Amino acid sequence: MALTVDAEHTVPARRRGAPASHDGHRGAPAAHGGHHGPTSFWSTYVFSTDHKVIGLQYMFTGMVMALIGGFMAYAFRMQLAFPDQPVPGFGLVTPNVYNSLVTNHGAIMIFWVAMPMLIAGFGNFLIPLMIGCDDMVFPRLNRLSYQLFFVSAIVLLASFVVPGGGFGGAWTSYPPLSSSGTFNHTPWGAPLWLAAVAIEFIAFLLGGINFITTAMNARAPGMRMWDIPMVVWMIVIASILFMASAGPLIAGAIMLLLDQVAGTHFFTPAAGGDPLLWQHLFWFFGHPEVYVVLLPAMGIVAEVITVHARKKLFAYKTILYTTAGTAAFSFVVWAHHQFVAGIDPRMANLFTITTLLISIPIGEMLFCYIATLWGGSIEFKTSMLFGVAFLAEFLLGGVTGIFLGASAVDVYLHDTYFVVAHFHYTFVPIAIIAVFAGIYHWYPKMFGRLMDETLGKIHFWGTIIGFNTIFLPLFVTGAAGDHRRIYSYQHFQQLATDGLQSLRVVATVGMLIMLLAQTAFIVNFVRSLVRGAPAAANPWRANTLEWAAPSPPPHGNFAEMPTVYRGPYEYSVPGRTEDYWPQNVPA
Amino acid sequence: MIDWLTPRASSFAGDIDWLFALILGFVGFWFVVAEVVLFSFLFKFRRRRNARARYVTGTLKTEKRWISVPHVLIILCDVVIIAATLSVWAAVKQSFPPAQEKVRIVAQQWAWTFVHPGPDGALDTADDVTTIDELHVKTDTTYHFELTAKDVLHSFSVPAFRLKQDAVPGRVITGWFKPTTPGQYDVQCAEICGIGHGLMPARITVETKEQHDQWLRRAAAPAGGLVATGPGGTPWR
């Protein structure tokens, strides 16, 4: 590209550190010939190699899966509030249906909603736009990644309708329950579920390598390491984290699949196997996974709050270092899920220490975010409301983790609703609240139209009020001894009290409010596609490069490939008339 | 604080509740401080006409103090919590007081089998008393339990004792408890174990030494044989 040569002349010398290769997708047929995009419907929207289309494919698939996962939550929460009554629109929730519902609700929300929305959806859409290149460096690998992901979703959905029904051994899939049809009574559902997870992981491995390579090699001229927007950093670090942790789980999944279908006994104690081995492999992946989805969410929030508070991100480098520290630390905390699983009790001490220490970098990140708001000029657009709600809600998820990281308290709280409430206070801010912040923020860029603010605010308050009404009572029922994955508490004398039952009903009402509020989002989303006010290229007066592209960006993204002159958060710089200073505008 | 919600009936329940309250004190403080600061910023710095945001990089020493001072304070809180946790954990799970009684617990899909030593006080003798879904123990006696599972993972959970331990097939895991307060308490299975996971309730009866000896004599009598059936599967209402 000629642009690289131009850059040599226009970019100040001190900024030449950035990689020169700016040609996003060398070798992709569609990219040659001056970015004339594909023309037919199929090549534009279905078999596209365009990072934006793939990102949106991931997002739409994620949203459909979120509706399925949400419907499952509706069914089992109705059963908990009104035991053994047929659930309207679903039917009777029997014990094995209940197990299958909670199992697949968890699996769907983590693997088919949080992952595709946060990493693959926003990662694909944002990375090339924010670093100023025309596409991912491996566009066809990218397309393959989505196709595999789509197949995995189909395999998962198929597992619900096979003989015996969907797998019901919890999203953690502990053997020997998961490894033998004799024990789990889902001889088809269990292997299909596991195969779906394994295929999905391969899809994300392909995506991850793409994100890392693109962000490292295809940045616009002048974009140094410290000029990369935080969300790109966080997605890259999350991808590294995922790629380093997924290996053990994929190996474990293959062993478990062999146990299920080929008669091996990796995890069967009677034949010399060890069920605890699976738990180590699962959580060696499973705990970094929390940060794999947390980091992109925090990245989205960083972009949203800086734009809508007109503020520079407080201590960019500190945030970045603490992110890297958190990521590294997340590899040595996994056994806090296994304090009472039968591991050597002395080992628990080590994991208590590491788990409590990881609160330090995470706390520091949150402090930096709150400090960013100080002295700002905060405009409460819907995206900003969701952005600051992430901070307010995630704080509660963070601090309640301390109780569970402390082994001696975990003895009591392990596998109770206290745990359920805790991780929903982390995962709902991540996979729901931050995702909505991102959608409201980048919708004008994605579709070239603005969303409706009134419907947005109805959606926001319905979601937040509903969410807290569900999970605040569950801290109490958990502390009172409600254990997880129980289809009805009427069989337990201490738990079948009117007080606890009314808290369960309150939680179910909260769930109904939260689900109902999503209709405001769906209406807003669809209506704005057609009737929304046309969006300018930069409706929020933001600095990062995606706003330099037209809304929506065409195939190839930029009319003129941008050159970067400064960091992404130069808002309200003294001495300038405008309160923003885009990265690509010369001084 | 937990005892407002569920009774305490073992010697270490109080320690665990105390640790919960200690952590609640620390994290509650930080939570409230952070939320108050967050909401006050949101209110104070809401957009006003003609007001321009400040340019703060967060790299100056005076600015960094706002992060580094809380950072050090959090480390201090963490150290206190870790020290308290390790000491309670050591008492509950690591070092056991000497056994005065033994009991064997076997979990399976979907029932609990409890083996009490008979009047001779030893397991695996002819006078053992085996019960299903019903465990009898006496107050102020240190019990060591041998926990195992027949088929899949289960978890022996007694909320009133603040006790939980997974049962793993192929392993015998030893633990201890010392009941303090007479009464009947729930035993749960806290690890998903299949279709009947929600139908695995058992009862633990804590009784005085006299009551316990009486029960044991009756149960161990030849006619008594297998004293079976607790509440398993019967709804309480």
Side-chain angles (χ1 to χ4, degrees):
Chain A
M1 268 193 193
L3 192 108
T4 323
V5 182
D6 293 344
E8 291 296 314
H9 301 293
T10 52
V11 175
R14 63 178 186 85
R15 289 191 166 267
R16 283 208 197 122
S21 165
H22 193 38
D23 184 3
H25 47 195
R26 224 180 279 270
H32 286 298
H35 299 305
H36 293 301
T39 44
S40 85
F41 173 81
W42 288 93
S43 56
T44 311
Y45 296 111
V46 181
F47 297 107
S48 175
T49 55
D50 183 352
H51 70 99
K52 299 182 291 295
V53 176
I54 295 172
L56 293 177
Q57 285 173 332
Y58 265 116
M59 279 195 197
F60 283 121
T61 316
M63 284 185 211
V64 170
M65 295 302 277
L67 286 176
I68 297 171
F71 180 70
M72 290 173 159
Y74 159 78
F76 65 68
R77 274 242 61 94
M78 289 297 280
Q79 157 67 19
L80 288 171
F82 312 106
D84 305 324
Q85 309 286 320
V87 176
F90 185 86
L92 200 61
V93 179
T94 58
N96 57 330
V97 169
Y98 183 88
N99 286 351
S100 180
L101 285 172
V102 289
T103 299
N104 287 293
H105 167 78
I108 285 177
M109 290 306 197
I110 301 271
F111 294 135
W112 281 276
V113 178
M115 294 281 285
M117 298 293 278
L118 284 159
I119 295 254
F122 282 108
N124 264 307
F125 188 84
L126 293 178
I127 288 176
L129 280 167
M130 293 186 102
I131 64 172
C133 75
D134 49 6
D135 205 333
M136 288 286 173
V137 291
F138 306 125
R140 281 183 290 189
L141 204 62
N142 209 12
R143 181 177 59 185
L144 180 63
S145 160
Y146 175 74
Q147 288 167 342
L148 280 175
F149 172 74
F150 186 78
V151 169
S152 77
I154 299 293
V155 173
L156 180 80
L157 296 178
S159 80
F160 305 157
V161 294
V162 291
F167 177 55
W171 81 283
T172 52
S173 188
Y174 282 2
L177 179 64
S178 59
S179 62
S180 161
T182 325
F183 296 143
N184 59 40
H185 300 276
T186 52
W188 288 89
L192 277 177
W193 183 89
L194 200 58
V197 173
I199 297 169
E200 204 243 17
F201 275 39
I202 296 166
F204 283 118
L205 284 175
L206 299 180
I209 196 73
N210 220 340
F211 297 154
I212 298 167
T213 317
T214 304
M216 291 299 116
N217 288 329
R219 298 197 304 281
M223 184 178 271
R224 301 168 305 170
M225 287 291 187
W226 311 132
D227 300 329
I228 300 176
M230 196 49 78
V231 68
V232 175
W233 264 125
M234 296 231 180
I235 292 172
V236 167
I237 293 172
S239 298
I240 296 171
L241 207 51
F242 179 79
M243 299 191 77
S245 63
L249 185 67
I250 294 178
I254 290 169
M255 287 188 241
L256 188 53
L257 201 60
L258 289 172
D259 272 13
Q260 289 170 341
V261 298
T264 57
H265 295 290
F266 291 107
F267 303 118
T268 317
D274 187 351
L276 281 181
L277 172 62
W278 166 264
Q279 297 183 16
H280 286 293
L281 295 172
F282 183 88
W283 289 116
F284 186 84
F285 156 81
H287 206 82
E289 166 70 11
V290 173
Y291 298 93
V292 169
V293 291
L294 167 65
L295 295 182
M298 294 207 59
I300 288 169
V301 172
E303 305 304 325
V304 170
I305 64 173
T306 49
V307 170
H308 295 281
R310 317 306 295 166
K311 275 293 306 282
K312 189 180 171 77
L313 192 63
F314 189 91
Y316 176 102
K317 285 190 187 176
T318 306
I319 293 178
L320 194 52
Y321 295 146
T322 52
T323 305
T326 309
F329 236 95
S330 73
F331 279 101
V332 290
V333 297
W334 79 88
H336 66 217
H337 297 272
Q338 296 166 262
F339 284 148
V340 297
I343 60 171
D344 189 316
R346 290 167 300 182
M347 197 160 86
N349 294 326
L350 186 67
F351 285 93
T352 292
I353 294 171
T354 55
T355 303
L356 288 185
L357 291 185
I358 208 170
S359 66
I360 295 164
I362 284 284
E364 198 156 332
M365 279 162 84
L366 287 171
F367 289 151
C368 286
Y369 277 52
I370 295 173
T372 299
L373 297 170
W374 185 87
S377 171
I378 301 169
E379 188 178 15
F380 290 103
K381 294 275 183 202
T382 308
S383 56
M384 184 61 169
L385 286 173
F386 275 107
V388 296
F390 171 89
L391 300 177
E393 305 285 2
F394 185 80
L395 269 169
L396 186 53
V399 298
T400 49
I402 303 282
F403 293 92
L404 304 166
S407 53
V409 178
D410 186 64
V411 172
Y412 177 58
L413 293 177
H414 183 80
D415 268 337
T416 65
Y417 267 80
F418 192 93
V419 178
V420 174
H422 154 69
F423 71 70
H424 280 90
Y425 265 98
T426 64
F427 276 120
V428 173
I430 290 169
I432 308 289
I433 295 177
V435 163
F436 282 134
I439 289 177
Y440 282 99
H441 186 68
W442 279 294
Y443 188 94
K445 186 55 58 186
M446 292 170 177
F447 304 108
R449 287 176 188 276
L450 296 171
M451 289 181 92
D452 186 81
E453 281 290 320
T454 310
L455 275 174
K457 275 162 193 164
I458 294 169
H459 173 224
F460 171 77
W461 288 111
T463 303
I464 294 299
I465 291 168
F467 164 57
N468 287 293
T469 312
I470 304 172
F471 292 107
L472 284 176
L474 296 186
F475 280 118
V476 181
T477 62
D482 265 14
H483 47 323
R484 294 171 72 179
R485 298 160 180 152
I486 298 299
Y487 83 105
S488 164
Y489 290 95
Q490 308 310 306
H491 306 284
F492 297 87
Q493 199 173 41
Q494 282 176 263
L495 302 177
T497 62
D498 290 338
L500 288 176
Q501 188 59 27
S502 48
L503 286 177
R504 293 182 199 116
V505 174
V506 169
T508 299
V509 170
M511 186 269 315
L512 293 174
I513 295 172
M514 190 173 170
L515 279 185
L516 208 62
Q518 306 316 308
T519 52
F521 173 73
I522 295 169
V523 169
N524 196 356
F525 192 96
V526 175
R527 212 180 67 143
S528 302
L529 281 178
V530 201
R531 291 217 206 128
N538 192 359
W540 313 130
R541 297 175 299 128
N543 284 347
T544 39
L545 293 180
E546 79 273 28
W547 304 104
S551 299
H555 198 81
N557 295 342
F558 297 94
E560 185 190 346
M561 297 309 275
T563 299
V564 169
Y565 297 93
R566 65 190 61 78
Y569 304 112
E570 297 303 308
Y571 292 102
S572 311
V573 178
R576 280 181 59 81
T577 42
E578 282 171 323
D579 67 350
Y580 67 118
W581 202 359
Q583 285 189 281
N584 62 320
V585 171
Chain B
M1 207 154 299
I2 304 257
D3 59 316
W4 299 346
L5 298 164
T6 190
R8 263 182 216 161
S10 79
S11 57
F12 50 66
D15 298 340
I16 290 177
D17 291 359
W18 169 81
L19 185 60
F20 182 91
L22 176 86
I23 296 177
L24 186 67
F26 278 118
V27 307
F29 169 78
W30 282 106
F31 176 70
V32 170
V33 167
E35 295 284 358
V36 166
V37 170
L38 172 62
F39 278 94
S40 62
F41 283 5
L42 292 178
F43 180 74
K44 194 168 167 206
F45 299 108
R46 68 189 186 281
R47 182 156 301 175
R48 292 191 180 94
R49 223 171 266 250
N50 302 325
R52 194 180 167 110
R54 296 174 215 214
Y55 186 76
V56 182
T57 60
T59 50
L60 301 174
K61 243 189 178 156
T62 47
E63 295 161 1
K64 275 190 172 167
R65 268 205 306 251
W66 289 100
I67 306 298
S68 58
V69 171
H71 170 99
V72 172
L73 293 176
I74 288 188
I75 294 181
L76 287 178
C77 294
D78 272 354
V79 168
V80 175
I81 294 172
I82 288 171
T85 302
L86 262 46
S87 77
V88 175
W89 174 261
V92 175
K93 288 278 183 182
Q94 231 169 299
S95 54
F96 306 164
Q100 293 166 298
E101 283 276 348
K102 282 193 173 176
V103 61
R104 179 174 299 142
I105 306 167
V106 184
Q108 71 190 82
Q109 284 182 327
W110 293 283
W112 296 97
T113 304
F114 300 104
V115 184
H116 309 71
D120 69 351
L123 283 169
D124 300 313
T125 53
D127 67 346
D128 284 358
V129 175
T130 302
T131 57
I132 309 290
D133 290 339
E134 188 183 343
L135 172 62
H136 283 256
V137 292
K138 53 191 168 186
T139 51
D140 301 319
T141 309
T142 302
Y143 280 83
H144 282 200
F145 60 81
E146 295 172 3
L147 176 65
T148 190
K150 279 187 179 169
D151 35 41
V152 300
L153 300 179
H154 299 270
S155 188
F156 179 67
S157 166
V158 186
F161 286 7
R162 311 290 188 268
L163 172 67
K164 192 171 286 133
Q165 178 62 55
D166 285 7
V168 183
R171 293 191 190 193
V172 178
I173 295 171
T174 312
W176 76 282
F177 58 82
K178 185 177 180 181
T180 52
T181 319
Q184 278 214 332
Y185 309 101
D186 279 347
V187 174
Q188 315 166 335
C189 174
E191 185 64 64
I192 190 164
C193 58
I195 293 172
H197 173 55
L199 294 163
M200 236 176 114
R203 296 293 277 172
I204 188 162
T205 306
V206 179
E207 46 209 359
T208 60
K209 190 173 181 320
E210 296 73 42
Q211 289 168 327
H212 186 75
D213 289 346
Q214 215 173 6
W215 172 82
L216 207 56
R217 266 197 308 278
R218 217 173 42 235
L226 189 86
V227 180
T229 65
T234 322
W236 283 98
R237 49 177 189 178

